[in-house]
Amino acid sequence: MEILNDPKHWNTVSTGYADFIQPIFEGFFSKHIDRLALRPDMRVLDLACGPGTVSLQIFDQVNRIDGLDFSKDMIDVLEESIKQRDIKNIQPHLGDGQDLSRFDDNSFDLVISLFGLIFFPDRAKALAEVKRVLKPEGRAFITSWPPMAESSFMTTLGDAIQSTGCLPKKDENPQQDTGTPDPEVFMSEFREANFLNIKKESAKIEVAIGDVDLFWQQNVKGSMPILMIKEDLSEEKWKEFNEKALAYLKQNLSIPCSLEFQVWIWSV
C-alpha cells in the first residue's frame, strides 16, 4: 500500500507509536539482544529506526549507532530521547532507507531493521545497500510479519474492523504485500543481494490487555492500519466506525487477556 511508503502518514502516528507500539517492540527485541553478540567497538545501523526502539536499548553496548528513518517526526521523537538521556553515540539521519549512499562501503558491523525494511517499495534494492555497507564479516538482523491470519492481535482487530460494516469487503488479493512478504520471495531477495547462510526463525510477541477502551484508543493513535481507515472515512462515518469497533472488542474480549503477533526473524 502506498500509504505505508509515505512519510507523512508515519509522521501522523509518531507520538502514538512511541507511546504504544514502541514498548511492545522493545519487549520483543530485548529477548533477542544476546544473540547479536554486541561489542564495545561495534558500529550499528538501525534501519527504519522509527522513534529509536532498537537504538535506545543497545547504545550503551556498542561504539556508535546510526539511526535512519524517512519520517521527520519519528526522528524528532528519537532526538528528544537522545537529548533527555544525554546520549552521545546515537546519530539520527533523515532519509530513504533504500539509499544508503551517505555511508561508505564496509562501514557497519551490524544492520538491524525491526519491522521496517519489509515495507520498503524495493526490498531487493534495500538489501543490496545493506550488503554494501556491511563489513565482510558483518551481520544483519531483520524482522517481518507472517500472514496476518497467523496473529491473534491482527485477526482480532481485523474482525472488529470488518464488524462495523463501514468498509468495503476485505481484499483477499494474494498479491497484496503490506509487510508480510512471501518467505520464498524474501529469501530470494536476500540471495540476490549476495547474502549467504540466511536463517529464518519464528517468534512471537504477546500483548497483555487489561482495559478494552485503552487498548482501542492506543491503536487509534498509534496503529498505521487504523490511520489508513480514518483517512478514508468522513467524520460521521469515522464516529460510527469507532463506536462499532469498540463495541465488538468489548463483546469479544474477556479481560484480562493477551493477544499475539507472530514474527519471522531473518538473520545473516
Side-chain angles (χ1 to χ4, degrees), residues 35-210:
R35 67 187 292 169
L36 301 177
L38 300 175
R39 305 185 313 271
D41 64 336
M42 293 179 78
R43 184 179 180 188
V44 178
L45 174 60
D46 185 359
L47 184 59
C49 63
T53 307
V54 168
S55 297
L56 295 171
Q57 286 198 75
I58 65 172
F59 73 92
D60 58 349
Q61 300 179 59
V62 300
N63 181 51
R64 171 177 170 144
I65 300 174
D66 292 89
L68 176 68
D69 202 280
F70 74 166
S71 165
K72 182 181 183 301
D73 286 12
M74 289 286 191
I75 290 294
D76 287 347
V77 173
L78 173 56
E79 288 180 333
E80 182 61 25
S81 296
I82 291 170
K83 180 180 178 181
Q84 289 181 359
R85 297 169 63 174
D86 194 29
I87 298 171
K88 304 297 186 184
N89 66 335
I90 299 177
Q91 178 60 59
H93 303 269
L94 179 64
D96 181 358
Q98 298 170 130
D99 178 9
L100 304 181
S101 57
R102 71 185 67 207
F103 303 120
D104 293 336
D105 295 1
N106 308 320
S107 293
F108 294 96
D109 300 283
L110 175 65
V111 175
I112 302 173
S113 187
L114 203 65
F115 309 112
L117 183 147
I118 52 172
F119 293 114
F120 291 2
D122 192 339
R123 289 189 305 264
K125 178 181 178 181
L127 286 168
E129 278 288 86
V130 168
K131 180 65 173 176
R132 180 185 65 78
V133 301
L134 276 172
K135 295 177 181 178
E137 70 279 9
R139 292 173 294 115
F141 180 93
I142 297 169
T143 56
S144 71
W145 302 116
M148 293 304 179
E150 298 181 21
S151 295
S152 61
F153 187 104
M154 295 308 298
T155 56
T156 299
L157 281 182
D159 290 345
I161 289 167
Q162 291 299 316
S163 75
T164 67
C166 296
L167 304 177
K169 186 177 180 182
K170 201 163 36 173
D171 185 2
E172 301 293 345
N173 182 358
Q175 298 303 315
Q176 192 176 50
D177 183 346
T178 58
T180 60
D182 181 289
E184 292 186 6
V185 173
F186 204 22
M187 183 70 78
S188 71
E189 291 169 346
F190 274 101
R191 290 176 177 146
E192 287 172 17
N194 294 318
F195 281 107
L196 304 175
N197 302 316
I198 308 148
K199 296 180 180 179
K200 170 180 163 287
E201 306 166 63
S202 297
K204 67 180 180 179
I205 303 172
E206 291 191 7
V207 181
I209 302 170

Side-chain angles (χ1 to χ4, degrees), residues 166-265:
C166 296
L167 304 177
K169 186 177 180 182
K170 201 163 36 173
D171 185 2
E172 301 293 345
N173 182 358
Q175 298 303 315
Q176 192 176 50
D177 183 346
T178 58
T180 60
D182 181 289
E184 292 186 6
V185 173
F186 204 22
M187 183 70 78
S188 71
E189 291 169 346
F190 274 101
R191 290 176 177 146
E192 287 172 17
N194 294 318
F195 281 107
L196 304 175
N197 302 316
I198 308 148
K199 296 180 180 179
K200 170 180 163 287
E201 306 166 63
S202 297
K204 67 180 180 179
I205 303 172
E206 291 191 7
V207 181
I209 302 170
D211 183 298
V212 176
D213 288 277
L214 177 61
F215 172 68
W216 177 245
Q217 287 308 313
Q218 287 172 326
N219 274 283
V220 168
K221 293 178 181 179
S223 171
M224 181 61 72
I226 304 298
L227 169 68
M228 293 161 62
I229 292 169
K230 188 174 184 180
E231 291 199 344
D232 285 342
L233 297 179
S234 67
E235 184 176 345
E236 181 179 350
K237 204 69 175 176
W238 166 253
K239 182 179 179 181
E240 177 187 353
F241 169 86
N242 194 56
E243 291 173 351
K244 288 183 175 179
L246 180 58
Y248 176 91
L249 292 172
K250 287 184 174 181
Q251 183 177 353
N252 288 276
L253 289 178
S254 299
I255 301 300
C257 67
S258 63
L259 298 175
E260 294 181 352
F261 289 104
Q262 297 300 315
V263 178
W264 284 332
I265 298 173

